[in-house]
Amino acid sequence: MDLRLPLYQTQEGELNSFALNSIYFPIEKPQKCFHPLFRQLLNDLWLAGIFSYHHENKLYLVFQTSSKNLLEVINNQLNAFIEEHAECFPNEYQGKKLNFADFISTIELRLSSSHKNFTIVRSIIYGYLRKIYGYKKGIVSKEESIIIYVHRVPESEDSYIFEDKFIRQGVKFMFEVTPKGRGRIWFDIVTHAFKLDEQGTRSLSPHEMKQESHRFYRKYSALAQLMPRSRYNRLMEMLNTLGIQDNIVIRYYTWDKDKQQFEERVIKFVKYLNKLT
């Protein structure tokens, strides 16, 4: 049985290219500055409904809505970041309030011809999926990757296994583009164990679980190694909880600086049915 199913895919050729905006945003001292850039700035933009990725001194982005307020958000967030991390930018960026909306350009990234382009687009799509499907009551979204934890085991938020340890199961999204420009999204179940201590919540490796409790490790293993039919049923249950059924529609906006208006973009992934074997 193919555990990646159900598979959602676009029409052939629909993702030969991906339209998005870009802003020149040069970062000096990358070893020092990339951590706040990705952990702070990009996350703040994500919370505001701007899905972005930084690569080779350019900030690539799309908008969740067509609200012009988001252009103000861009200016405010980028200027505040420059002010807070002045050492990360060239001298001409320091001590000024820049209007980044005046420098936004619209580009088309071809996906099949460049791994760099694919990485940029994948990151933006993951940000979109994480916001649309993972930003709900009772559902936890992991920021580092597109993992959305749908169930805590047991399911009650106040119930823990063995006092300070608990297990979460969730859905992992995966994305690819075929050489003929067909976009694909598929899923799998992830099972992770966590421990609460004085520093907060941290994940446990299998070795650490065994050291903590063999009984706890056996419970984790039983959930992580579900038989194919049980795994499929659990996956379908989680997708239903997220509201993912026959289609996944990515609807976003780019800003056309010349027309001074937003342009709507729609990518539709349709469920591809395949029998279990």
Side-chain angles (χ1 to χ4, degrees):
M1 174 181 144
D2 187 347
L3 294 179
R4 300 188 308 178
L5 297 178
L7 172 71
Y8 292 74
Q9 58 186 15
T10 69
Q11 294 292 326
E12 189 173 294
E14 190 169 352
L15 274 177
N16 280 325
S17 63
F18 186 91
L20 72 173
N21 290 128
S22 71
I23 299 173
Y24 183 63
F25 198 64
I27 296 289
E28 298 185 343
K29 303 178 183 177
Q31 289 185 334
K32 179 179 180 181
C33 301
F34 274 7
H35 184 81
L37 172 72
F38 283 90
R39 293 287 185 173
Q40 178 186 336
L41 177 61
L42 299 196
N43 188 61
D44 288 344
L45 293 175
W46 179 83
L47 289 171
I50 301 167
F51 311 121
S52 58
Y53 188 76
H54 189 273
H55 186 74
E56 294 180 349
N57 287 330
K58 286 187 178 180
L59 183 66
Y60 297 90
L61 55 100
V62 301
F63 300 89
Q64 184 177 354
T65 68
S66 58
S67 170
K68 288 191 176 181
N69 290 336
L70 292 180
L71 298 177
E72 290 184 31
V73 171
I74 286 284
N75 284 329
N76 293 339
Q77 297 281 14
L78 269 57
N79 279 305
F81 187 80
I82 291 172
E83 184 176 354
E84 182 179 354
H85 302 281
E87 72 280 3
C88 296
F89 295 90
N91 291 334
E92 59 267 25
Y93 276 67
Q94 299 176 20
K96 299 178 182 179
K97 291 291 184 183
L98 301 174
N99 185 6
F100 287 95
D102 290 342
F103 303 104
I104 291 180
S105 61
T106 304
I107 60 174
E108 296 261 353
L109 292 183
R110 291 193 60 83
L111 300 186
S112 59
S113 61
S114 168
H115 182 71
K116 178 194 78 172
N117 291 351
F118 172 77
T119 299
I120 293 167
V121 173
R122 179 180 60 187
S123 298
I124 288 175
I125 286 179
Y126 280 178
Y128 182 97
L129 295 173
R130 186 162 59 90
K131 186 69 175 287
I132 298 303
Y133 294 114
Y135 206 61
K136 300 178 182 179
K137 184 178 180 181
I139 296 175
V140 183
S141 180
K142 184 178 179 183
E143 296 180 6
E144 291 82 0
S145 61
I146 186 65
I147 296 174
I148 297 176
Y149 292 113
V150 185
H151 292 286
R152 183 182 294 224
V153 184
E155 293 181 7
S156 169
E157 285 294 317
D158 299 320
S159 297
Y160 294 86
I161 298 176
F162 304 140
E163 299 177 353
D164 60 345
K165 295 178 286 294
F166 64 93
I167 299 169
R168 277 193 183 133
Q169 281 195 312
V171 170
K172 180 179 181 180
F173 287 65
M174 291 166 280
F175 170 73
E176 70 178 8
V177 177
T178 70
K180 293 186 177 181
R182 188 191 298 275
R184 289 176 174 163
I185 295 173
W186 72 92
F187 315 90
D188 198 1
I189 292 178
V190 291
T191 305
H192 288 155
F194 298 89
K195 181 177 181 179
L196 295 173
D197 55 28
E198 60 276 1
Q199 276 146 21
T201 302
R202 65 180 183 87
S203 60
L204 290 172
S205 69
H207 178 69
E208 289 174 316
M209 278 184 265
K210 288 179 182 178
Q211 290 182 321
E212 291 273 344
S213 166
H214 279 281
R215 187 175 163 215
F216 180 77
Y217 175 73
R218 286 196 298 270
K219 177 67 174 176
Y220 164 82
S221 298
L223 290 164
Q225 300 172 17
L226 291 172
M227 296 298 290
R229 175 68 64 174
S230 298
R231 192 177 187 88
Y232 178 84
N233 290 340
R234 178 61 64 87
L235 177 59
M236 296 304 292
E237 177 189 350
M238 291 182 178
L239 294 181
N240 184 62
T241 300
L242 293 174
I244 299 174
Q245 297 180 350
D246 294 333
N247 302 310
I248 296 174
V249 179
I250 293 179
R251 189 183 308 275
Y252 71 95
Y253 298 85
T254 57
W255 175 249
D256 189 315
K257 183 179 62 176
D258 296 329
K259 296 180 181 178
Q260 288 292 293
Q261 67 182 32
F262 283 98
E263 300 286 340
E264 184 182 55
R265 314 280 182 169
V266 179
I267 305 172
K268 186 176 182 180
F269 295 80
V270 179
K271 187 175 183 180
Y272 174 75
L273 297 177
N274 196 5
K275 294 182 180 179
L276 297 177
T277 58

